[in-house]
Each structure stands twice: as structure tokens, then as C-alpha cells.
């Protein structure tokens, strides 16, 4: 890769792989495997419904990269004195430009936990990803690797410890949720290409793309917050898209740069407010509701404990509690300047509680459009919807349709 150089992407979209056998896993049963077979007819219908929105191959574009943010940190040299230095906190950014830019604002895409910007380049089975789709619609696209991850270097002397997600968690939560049924809607999952388990070439290709990420989410949020602000300061106004764990970085960015974040698209953003959910141990988190780090509220707060909360709803079967602000709710005075779209799948674990995140935002004065895919006739998707069989349908009929209505 050459800094500042521009060249046509030569990525090729391979034919869709299909027909792999389901492998039994620890914790699965014959009935759970049979459940998948029972969904085959629905998979066929889902595939037909997505045929209206297709992208046959990669979109011609130029490509460059750069780094933003970070600082020098003093480190000990071989003699033990601290007159050496390393650079940390920087963020890798890849800039893709279609042959004809027709959209007013570029699109900045943030990946989730244990992932990288490659999430959006192409799917694990070789089809065009969301980056290609939005390039085809005339958007400039910026892809990044979150700070201290992948091409954004993790510095052992400066950054906190990392963790690696194991293959079973990926199967249970993302790719083969219907085999485990950890939450009630998991059985509705049909859109992952292949069977979603170890040994399937598509799953293996996806799991190989996962990387270690910082354990401490407060540390992650603070470091991404600084680098993301530096990115917008460099490129100017942009549409910001976040997914999953990076959702907790979208709100601080909108808070810090409300004039530069022209819209925020949140694909199943980190939630619900104030607490973990679904996967034990369920402990307090996101002390500022939707964020691990401070946001600007009115009336002002001096620390997170100033936010008075109340339990709005508890679901034992779905494994979550919806906690909101006590009335009257404080307002997110900066984030409320940014239009927001939240997109929720039919079968992902966010299906149970994204409504609670949206409720928190709306009561804090944020204008949120919330689209749940089954309510508009798009079925079978899970948390990684942008990689699934109908990924282009969602980009076209949901995300870009909303963006086009705004700009």
C-alpha cells in the first residue's frame, strides 16, 4: 500500500457459496439442527425478496490512506532513562473515492468490537460489501481501524490489555444464532451465508478477520473519541455510521463535533443504557446512558452520578432491563443537533432492547428514526446484517433511502 497513491480497486466478488453441511457443536441438539432445516423454505423466500437490490461487482474507485490523532509518549530506553518516545493513539483511515462523487457528504464507517474496517469492504463469501454499494451511489467512503487495533498500532508500553473473541461466541451471537437460541428471536436468523459454524469456509474466512481489541471500554472510548474528532477536523463535515461497540463512540463524536456530524447512522449500537444485557455477567456499563465517557447534558452534570435513573422494564426471558433517566430527563444538547437513524435486525440480540436505547435518546431530545427490518418486510437478519445475503438490499432500501431523504 502506498501513502497518498490512487489506484483502482481490483477486488473481485466471488460467487456465493452455499450448501455446506451443518456441523454439530457443543451445546447444540438434534432439534436445534432440525430447526435450521425447517427454515430452508424461508431462506429461499428471503433470497427472493433481496433480489431487487443487487450489486454485481466491485465499484471502480481510487484509494489512499492516512493516520490521524495520537501523540508521542515517553518510554524508557535501554539505559532506563525516559528520553525515548513512541507514538500511540493514532487511527488508521482508508479513503475510497468513486470515479464520480455525487453526494454532498462523505460516509465515515466505524466497525464494532474485535473487527476492523475490512467489515465493509466485501463479505466473507466474496460479494461486494457496503463500501462498494455506497461508492456506487456516489459517496466518498472512509474506513478506519479503531485505535490500538489492527493497523492502528497497539503499543504495549502505553495501551491497556487486549482480549480476543473466541469462535464459539461468534457462532452463538452472530453467525449461527438459530442453533443456540440464547434469546427468543435468535431462531429467526436465516440470512448468514453458509452455515455459520467452524469448518464452513465462509465462517472460517470471517473468523480469521477478527482481531484483539482493548478490554477497557472507557479507555477505548476516550482514545477513539480523540482520534475521531481529529478525523472530522481533517476531512470536514461527514455522515457517520457506527455498528455495535462503536455505537458508544458515535454519541461522543456527535457531542464534540455537532456541526461536522451531519447525520449518525447507528446499526444496532451498543446498549441498552446503563447496563449490560443478554450475556452474563450482566453488570453496569455506559454510565452516561449510551456512552462510557461524558456527554454534554442540560441541565449540566458534574459526573455520571448526577444522572438520576429509573427502571422502565425488565424481561427475564430476554435477559435485559431497560433503565432510563428519571423525569424530567436531562437533554443531550449537542447530540440533539444531529439527525439519527437506528437500524435493528429481526433476529439479532439487539432486537430485544434497541427500543430502550431509542427511548433514552428521544427523551434526551435527540431526533431518532428507528427502523426495525421486519416491520418493512426484510426478514432473517442478525447483528452482522451488512455481511449477510441481503446486505445490499438493506444498504439500498433502508440506509441510503434514509440518507437521501435527508440530503
Amino acid at each position: 500500500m502506498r501513502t497518498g497513491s490512487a489506484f483502482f480497486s481490483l477486488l473481485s466478488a466471488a460467487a456465493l457459496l452455499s450448501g455446506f453441511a451443518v456441523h454439530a457443536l457443543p451445546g447444540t441438539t438434534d432439534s436445534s439442527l432440525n430447526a435450521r432445516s425447517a427454515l430452508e423454505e424461508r431462506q429461499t423466500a428471503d433470497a427472493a425478496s433481496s433480489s431487487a437490490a443487487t450489486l454485481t461487482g466491485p465499484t471502480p474507485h481510487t484509494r489512499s490512506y492516512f493516520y490521524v490523532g495520537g501523540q508521542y509518549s515517553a518510554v524508557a530506553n535501554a539505559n532506563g532513562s525516559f528520553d525515548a518516545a513512541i507514538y500511540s493513539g493514532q487511527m488508521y483511515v482508508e479513503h475510497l473515492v468513486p470515479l464520480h462523487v455525487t453526494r454532498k457528504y462523505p460516509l465515515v464507517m466505524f466497525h464494532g468490537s474485535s473487527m476492523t474496517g475490512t467489515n465493509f469492504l466485501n463479505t466473507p463469501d466474496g460479494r461486494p460489501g457496503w463500501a462498494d454499494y455506497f461508492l456506487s451511489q456516489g459517496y466518498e467512503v472512509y474506513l478506519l481501524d479503531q485505535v490500538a487495533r489492527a493497523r492502528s498500532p497497539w503499543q504495549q508500553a502505553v495501551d491497556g490489555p487486549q482480549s480476543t473473541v473466541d469462535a464459539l461466541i461468534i457462532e452463538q451471537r452472530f453467525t449461527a444464532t438459530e442453533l443456540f437460541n440464547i434469546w427468543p428471536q435468535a431462531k429467526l436468523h436465516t440470512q448468514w451465508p453458509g452455515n455459520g459454524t467452524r469448518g464452513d469456509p465462509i465462517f472460517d474466512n470471517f473468523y480469521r478477520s477478527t482481531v484483539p481489541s482493548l478490554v477497557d471500554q472507557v479507555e477505548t472510548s476516550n482514545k477513539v473519541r480523540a482520534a475521531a474528532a481529529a478525523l472530522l477536523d481533517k476531512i470536514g463535515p461527514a455522515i457517520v455510521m457506527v455498528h455495535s461497540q462503536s455505537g458508544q463512540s458515535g454519541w461522543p463524536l456527535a457531542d464534540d463535533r455537532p456541526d461536522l456530524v451531519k447525520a449518525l447512522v447507528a446499526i444496532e449500537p451498543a446498549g441498552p443504557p446503563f447496563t449490560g444485557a443478554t450475556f452474563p455477567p450482566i453488570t453496569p456499563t455506559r454510565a452516561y446512558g449510551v456512552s462510557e465517557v461524558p456527554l454534554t447534558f442540560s441541565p449540566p452534570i458534574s459526573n455520571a452520578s448526577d444522572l438520576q435513573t429509573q427502571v422502565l422494564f425488565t424481561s427475564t426471558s430476554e435477559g435485559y432491563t431497560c433503565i432510563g433517566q428519571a423525569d424530567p430527563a436531562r437533554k443531550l444538547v449537542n447530540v440533539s443537533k444531529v439527525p439519527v437513524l437506528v437500524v435493528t435486525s429481526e433476529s439479532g440480540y439487539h432486537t430485544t432492547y434497541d427500543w430502550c436505547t431509542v427511548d433514552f435518546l428521544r427523551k434526551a431530545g435527540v431526533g431518532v428514526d428507528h427502523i426495525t427490518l421486519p416491520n418493512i418486510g426484510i426478514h432473517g437478519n442478525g447483528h452482522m446484517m451488512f455481511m449477510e445475503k441481503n446486505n445490499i438490499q438493506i444498504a439500498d432500501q433502508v440506509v441510503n433511502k434514509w440518507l437521501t431523504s435527508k440530503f
Side-chain angles (χ1 to χ4, degrees):
M1 208 180 294
R2 295 165 290 174
T3 305
S5 66
F7 51 94
F8 290 122
S9 172
L10 299 178
L11 294 175
S12 61
L16 175 64
L17 302 174
S18 61
F20 294 98
V22 175
H23 303 285
L25 297 171
T28 66
T29 64
D30 289 342
S31 61
S32 67
L33 296 177
N34 291 337
R36 180 140 194 157
S37 298
L39 291 173
E40 288 180 354
E41 291 184 7
R42 181 169 180 178
Q43 290 176 323
T44 301
D46 290 340
S49 70
S50 66
S51 62
T54 59
L55 187 65
T56 57
T59 303
H61 62 276
T62 60
R63 176 187 180 201
S64 61
Y65 76 91
F66 56 90
Y67 283 81
V68 293
Q71 60 285 313
Y72 285 102
S73 299
V75 294
N77 62 19
N79 298 322
S81 61
F82 283 81
D83 55 358
I86 59 173
Y87 211 88
S88 66
Q90 69 268 46
M91 186 166 69
Y92 171 89
V93 182
E94 197 164 319
H95 184 201
L96 311 179
V97 184
L99 299 185
H100 302 287
V101 176
T102 60
R103 302 290 180 160
K104 184 176 182 180
Y105 301 115
L107 180 61
V108 179
M109 306 176 81
F110 286 74
H111 59 82
S113 180
S114 302
M115 304 293 156
T116 73
T118 61
N119 271 190
F120 304 107
L121 283 174
N122 52 267
T123 65
D125 57 327
R127 292 172 293 111
W130 276 17
D132 268 311
Y133 170 78
F134 285 103
L135 288 167
S136 78
Q137 299 302 302
Y139 292 91
E140 289 184 70
V141 173
Y142 292 89
L143 305 176
L144 56 89
D145 291 349
Q146 289 188 46
V147 177
R149 192 184 311 183
R151 291 166 292 186
S152 301
W154 175 76
Q155 299 289 10
Q156 184 176 10
V158 177
D159 297 317
Q162 294 180 308
S163 64
T164 301
V165 64
D166 65 69
L168 178 60
I169 287 177
I170 296 291
E171 293 165 338
Q172 290 175 328
R173 302 182 186 186
F174 303 147
T175 62
T177 64
E178 66 277 19
L179 301 183
F180 299 92
N181 289 319
I182 294 174
W183 59 95
Q185 297 82 358
K187 62 181 178 292
L188 302 175
H189 190 216
T190 62
Q191 291 286 5
W192 183 261
N195 67 38
T197 66
R198 281 162 280 177
D200 180 287
I202 298 170
F203 175 87
D204 293 345
N205 195 35
F206 173 53
Y207 185 67
R208 283 192 291 262
S209 73
T210 63
V211 298
S213 53
L214 292 173
V215 172
D216 189 330
Q217 290 302 306
V218 175
E219 179 187 11
T220 299
S221 294
N222 279 321
K223 291 180 174 180
V224 173
R225 181 178 202 164
L231 173 60
L232 292 194
D233 290 341
K234 177 180 176 68
I235 69 173
I239 298 160
V240 173
M241 178 185 293
V242 295
H243 171 245
S244 194
Q245 170 259 328
S246 67
Q248 64 194 25
S249 294
W251 317 119
L253 181 56
D255 190 54
D256 293 343
R257 299 293 187 273
D259 295 333
L260 295 180
V261 179
K262 307 313 292 186
L264 183 56
V265 177
I267 309 298
E268 298 199 342
F274 299 108
T275 184
T278 310
F279 310 113
I282 296 173
T283 57
T285 185
R286 291 177 290 280
Y288 296 88
V290 291
S291 172
E292 296 280 3
V293 293
L295 298 173
T296 305
F297 285 90
S298 179
I301 61 173
S302 57
N303 54 62
S305 63
D306 291 340
L307 290 175
Q308 300 299 306
T309 63
Q310 60 181 340
V311 173
L312 302 177
F313 181 80
T314 297
S315 173
T316 302
S317 64
E318 295 175 323
Y320 80 98
T321 296
C322 179
I323 301 173
Q325 288 194 71
D327 294 328
R330 297 173 189 264
K331 305 303 180 185
L332 287 166
V333 292
N334 290 336
V335 179
S336 63
K337 299 174 183 177
V338 177
V340 173
L341 170 66
V342 173
V343 181
T344 305
S345 67
E346 181 175 46
S347 73
Y349 55 91
H350 280 249
T351 301
T352 62
Y353 58 72
D354 269 0
W355 72 269
C356 183
T357 301
V358 170
D359 183 72
F360 175 90
L361 292 166
R362 286 175 174 167
K363 288 179 178 176
V366 180
V368 183
D369 292 320
H370 184 200
I371 297 177
T372 56
L373 297 184
N375 287 350
I376 58 171
I378 300 177
H379 296 283
N381 287 104
H383 190 55
M384 307 301 286
M385 63 184 76
F386 48 85
M387 293 182 174
E388 297 191 312
K389 290 183 286 188
N390 61 341
N391 65 325
I392 302 303
Q393 180 189 21
I394 298 168
D396 184 67
Q397 297 179 14
V398 181
V399 179
N400 193 41
K401 183 177 180 180
W402 184 83
L403 291 174
T404 301
S405 74
K406 298 296 181 183
F407 307 109

